[in-house]
Amino acid sequence: MMQHILLVLFCIFFCHNSDDFSSTDRGTQSGFLYLKISKIYTNKLTFSIKNTKGESLCLMKEGRIYFDSVSFDLIEEDFKYRERLKVEVLEPEYGLLIFKCKQVKKDVYVISVNYQEAYIDRNKYEKLLEFKTLEQYLLSTYPIPSSLSPLRITPSDIGKVIEKYDQYTYIPLEVTGDWIKVKTSKDCYSGETPPKKDITGWIRWREKGKIIIKLAYRC
């Protein structure tokens, strides 16, 4: 009798968790969400971000961004509204507006704005958005080594540091755990000419779950 009861309880527990895990509305994926801000500006489109109460946190419409009754030019006056729209990256002049995405759900993206949770309608704005995983995000940047996280020959904290690493610009090649493999860029460099030979190495980009290097988003 006791074995029968335990079997029934096991089935109930297993079936419940299985359904919950497979739910398309559960939303567990996190990463970064890119908004095609130049497309909104050029084509005079509308885009809205909602707060947790379902109210408009900000509205982009016809080349302007609205915060309640106050509005600014979306591209030309970004310096005026930066404090009202704190996101991961805000460089509208270069077409860059990147949100930290906490969850991808069936109908909404759960993002971070002003260090708080906010929402974007997936179905309504899908063509204006591009989601990237953490790895895809890192591979789309220009990682910048520093004295705290120098360029090393091997992906190890005791790996030999490559000399004069701070004189060049790097592009990412692959991400392995907390390390990112990079090489010198032939198209983006700070001196008069790029290095004669490619310099390849590893940078620790994360430590104790936090990103510890600076990332550039354009050359």
Side-chain angles (χ1 to χ4, degrees), residues 135-156:
E135 182 173 345
Q136 291 171 333
Y137 168 72
L138 291 169
L139 292 175
S140 67
T141 68
Y142 292 90
I144 303 174
S146 67
S147 58
L148 296 175
S149 189
L151 184 67
R152 300 180 185 274
I153 293 177
T154 58
S156 168

Side-chain angles (χ1 to χ4, degrees), residues 183-210:
K183 76 171 183 178
T184 45
S185 171
K186 293 181 179 179
D187 301 316
C188 185
Y189 48 89
S190 56
E192 295 183 0
T193 58
K196 294 180 180 179
K197 293 183 179 180
D198 286 340
I199 299 173
T200 304
W202 295 84
I203 308 170
R204 174 183 278 280
W205 67 271
R206 179 174 61 186
E207 188 170 39
K208 296 180 180 179
K210 295 183 178 181

Side-chain angles (χ1 to χ4, degrees), residues 107-119:
D107 299 318
V108 298
Y109 288 106
V110 183
I111 61 170
S112 177
V113 178
N114 301 336
Y115 311 111
Q116 296 180 357
E117 198 170 274
Y119 303 92

